[in-house]
């Protein structure tokens, strides 16, 4: 029972990290029709900035997170205007892939040049080092914090896209940009805001997940496959699909590493293949939430 409880807690926490990072990629792909392979690089930037802010500048954990998210968004918004805006809705997926993978290598090289090609860590505050008591069971405080943040983001994004004018305008701009512009909707601002939200979540996930997805020199290249797997299984553009996919893959991967550690990530990719064999277009294909 202790092993099962540990698998459940670690699997859900790992899944929430995958969700926080991947949901922005899902929205970008599903709503804005862009295959953004540089998304993992944005998570890497957030993690490295937070590590420097905490260790180099001595900022507390919440401030390091805020600095990482804000600086990552500010640094990537010019890319959205100069590069991504040219390929929104483009039917040429090869152009999108080449642009974003090239951007990934540029960011990885820049990060390694600035911060050095070494493993980085984001020190946790004392309140996240201990455990949270749940009756007879105890959950690591950091895992509980990650799960709570992931749940809050899930509900917040659902509310933003389904219950606000912003979500209505965004879907209208995606479905028919010309008509939306004729009705006075500033589509470029909507796309920029959506891109900023996705980038900010990637940076946040990069910071919160530093304990589970270590900040290494080739983070963006190593983990982008995991983030794409979540989008593929959940269905591009679906928030709840991304959450369900991330939790399913996270729990399966964690169970495999607990029970048969020598198999590495075999169970993650085996689950990915089986799920896509049964649901080729993902759990929630074609559903925004």
């Amino acid at each position: 029972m202790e092993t099962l409880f540990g698998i459940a807690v670690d699997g859900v926490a790992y899944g929430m990290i995958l969700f926080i990072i991947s949901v922005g990629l899902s929205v970008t792909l599903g709503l804005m029709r862009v295959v953004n392979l540089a998304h993992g690089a944005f998570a890497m930037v957030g993690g490295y900035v937070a590590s420097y802010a905490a260790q180099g500048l001595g900022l507390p954990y919440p401030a390091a997170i805020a600095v990482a998210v804000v600086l990552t968004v500010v640094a990537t918004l010019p890319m959205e205007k100069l590069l991504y805006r040219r390929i929104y809705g483009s039917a040429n997926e090869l152009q999108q892939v080449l642009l974003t993978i090239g951007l990934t290598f540029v960011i990885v090289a820049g990060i390694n040049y600035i911060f050095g090609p070494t493993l980085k860590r984001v020190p946790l505050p004392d309140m996240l080092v201990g455990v949270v008591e749940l009756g007879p069971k105890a959950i690591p405080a950091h895992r509980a914090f990650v799960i709570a943040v992931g749940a809050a983001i899930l509900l917040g994004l659902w509310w933003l896209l389904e219950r606000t004018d912003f979500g209505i305008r965004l879907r209208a701009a995606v479905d028919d940009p010309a008509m939306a512009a004729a009705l006075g909707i500033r589509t470029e601002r909507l796309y920029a805001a959506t891109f900023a939200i996705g980038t900010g979540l990637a940076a946040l996930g990069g910071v919160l997940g530093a304990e589970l997805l270590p900040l290494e020199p080739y983070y963006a290249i190593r983990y982008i496959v995991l983030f794409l797997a979540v989008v593929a299984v959940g269905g591009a553009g679906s928030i709840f699909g991304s959450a369900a996919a991330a939790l399913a893959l996270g729990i399966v991967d964690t169970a495999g590493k607990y029970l048969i550690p020598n198999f590495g990530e075999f169970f993650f990719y085996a689950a990915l293949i089986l799920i896509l064999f049964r649901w080729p277009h993902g759990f929630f294909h074609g559903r925004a939430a």
Side-chain angles (χ1 to χ4, degrees):
M1 290 301 296
E2 289 294 332
T3 300
L4 291 177
F5 183 74
I7 290 173
V9 171
D10 287 348
V12 172
Y14 179 43
M16 281 301 186
I17 291 299
L18 292 178
F19 165 70
I20 293 172
I21 297 177
S22 302
V23 69
L25 177 60
S26 178
V27 170
T28 303
L29 178 58
L31 297 182
M32 300 161 70
R33 313 291 194 267
V34 173
V35 183
N36 184 16
L37 297 183
H39 195 77
F42 300 155
M44 178 182 180
V45 170
Y48 270 70
V49 170
S51 175
Y52 176 76
Q55 295 187 294
L57 302 179
L59 295 181
Y61 190 70
I65 292 177
V67 168
V69 172
V70 171
L71 288 184
T72 302
V73 171
V74 170
T76 54
L77 278 178
M79 300 180 192
E80 189 276 337
K81 183 176 182 179
L82 298 175
L83 299 176
Y84 285 88
R85 197 167 293 181
R86 300 172 182 270
I87 59 173
Y88 285 152
S90 172
N92 189 343
E93 289 84 2
L94 179 59
Q95 182 185 51
Q96 297 178 4
V97 168
L98 291 176
L99 172 64
T100 56
I101 197 66
L103 189 57
T104 297
F105 284 112
V106 170
I107 293 174
V108 168
I111 289 295
N112 288 329
Y113 177 78
I114 295 171
F115 296 102
T118 58
L119 190 71
K120 303 295 181 183
R121 58 183 298 271
V122 182
L124 296 176
D126 293 339
M127 64 180 298
L128 294 182
V129 174
V131 297
V132 175
E133 301 290 342
L134 292 178
K137 302 293 184 180
I139 298 178
H142 178 256
R143 303 291 199 269
F145 177 67
V146 166
I147 294 171
V149 172
I153 290 173
L154 173 62
L155 294 176
L157 283 176
W158 172 82
W159 176 80
L160 178 66
L161 296 180
E162 297 295 323
R163 292 293 185 268
T164 67
D165 288 341
F166 175 84
I168 295 172
R169 291 171 181 269
L170 177 61
R171 290 195 298 275
V174 169
D175 292 338
D176 194 336
M179 179 60 71
L183 293 173
I185 297 176
R186 302 292 297 273
T187 57
E188 291 184 351
R189 289 186 178 182
L190 279 175
Y191 288 160
T194 305
F195 184 86
I197 291 171
T199 301
L201 289 174
L204 176 63
V207 180
L208 297 181
E211 297 291 314
L212 300 172
L213 299 177
L215 296 169
E216 56 177 284
Y218 295 98
Y219 176 104
I221 300 170
R222 177 177 180 181
Y223 296 124
I224 187 60
V225 176
L226 304 183
F227 309 146
L228 289 172
V230 171
V231 175
V233 171
S238 173
I239 298 170
F240 287 112
S242 294
L247 290 174
L249 293 173
I251 291 172
V252 168
D253 189 37
T254 301
K257 290 177 179 177
Y258 260 80
L259 301 176
I260 314 179
N262 290 337
F263 274 55
E265 295 179 341
F266 168 82
F267 291 101
F268 181 95
Y269 292 107
L272 171 64
I273 293 170
L274 292 175
I275 292 172
L276 291 180
F277 179 79
R278 173 60 181 83
W279 293 280
H281 300 293
F283 289 147
F284 292 73
H285 175 63
R287 296 172 59 179

